[in-house]
Amino acid sequence: IKFQFKLKLFRFFRRNFHPALVDASTKPPSREPIDFAALSVSSPDHIAKGKAIFTTMCMSCHGAGGQGDGPAAAALNPKPRNLTAALDWKNGRGLGQIYKTLSEGVGSMPAFSSFSPQERMYLAHFVRSINTSAPADTPEQLAALKTALGGGQKPKLPISFTIEKVAKESAN
């Protein structure tokens, strides 16, 4: 019963803080190519876009300053990470490691795989900007990030999206 209450509270905060979200199953994947060279470099524009995403998607749990003290944090176990702390993180504090955490989720934080790779990168840049003790990325980490982003190639359609599309067209 306690878990169900926490889940309902979590869903309440998600729904009420993020009304503009689109269900990922109905949203086609991004078709624009990924410019890894541009996305891998932090810029004020990338950080500003990441902050906008953080404000609508992450602030309810991580708090306005990223200290893990948002209104939904009380209902979560484990508690949301203090993004400003100099502690080691499960996946690491590098840009690619933050991208991995956003893509796969960790602990009570869900995966944000419905975000485009660009949106996840913007958010990763913002998180790195508020964690001033984050280490510099190694060439190996940047190479792994480039691979995760598809090496700059256009993303492929997920099989579930393709099956649904074919099913809808054959029903007509």
Side-chain angles (χ1 to χ4, degrees):
I1 294 174
K2 189 175 181 181
F3 174 75
Q4 290 176 347
F5 173 74
K6 288 181 178 181
L7 186 61
K8 286 180 182 178
L9 186 63
F10 180 73
R11 288 181 180 155
F12 168 79
F13 278 108
R14 276 279 191 241
R15 183 176 60 248
N16 291 320
F17 280 94
H18 323 301
L21 290 181
V22 176
D23 181 13
S25 63
T26 61
K27 180 181 172 186
S30 174
R31 301 288 292 161
E32 54 188 79
I34 299 167
D35 183 358
F36 175 75
L39 280 177
S40 64
V41 176
S42 185
S43 71
D45 183 50
H46 290 163
I47 293 171
K49 288 178 181 179
K51 184 175 183 176
I53 295 168
F54 182 88
T55 301
T56 58
M57 296 302 298
C58 310
M59 198 166 65
S60 61
C61 297
H62 288 284
Q67 296 169 337
D69 59 353
L76 299 174
N77 187 15
K79 299 294 181 205
R81 166 124 357 245
N82 178 349
L83 301 173
T84 63
L87 303 172
D88 285 332
W89 297 356
K90 182 174 182 175
N91 288 331
R93 293 179 291 154
L95 195 59
Q97 296 157 330
I98 295 170
Y99 181 86
K100 177 181 178 180
T101 300
L102 293 170
S103 299
E104 299 174 1
V106 64
S108 57
M109 185 185 104
F112 290 100
S113 54
S114 63
F115 284 15
S116 71
Q118 291 88 341
E119 290 170 324
R120 282 180 267 165
M121 284 298 295
Y122 298 147
L123 189 52
H125 282 295
F126 175 72
V127 170
R128 288 274 310 258
S129 76
I130 61 174
N131 188 301
T132 56
S133 63
D137 290 310
T138 65
E140 293 82 17
Q141 290 172 329
L142 290 174
L145 177 59
K146 185 173 184 177
T147 301
L149 287 170
Q153 299 174 359
K154 289 184 179 179
K156 296 179 181 170
L157 288 174
I159 190 71
S160 60
F161 179 79
T162 307
I163 290 172
E164 289 176 16
K165 192 80 167 164
V166 169
K168 285 179 184 176
E169 289 180 8
S170 64
N172 292 335

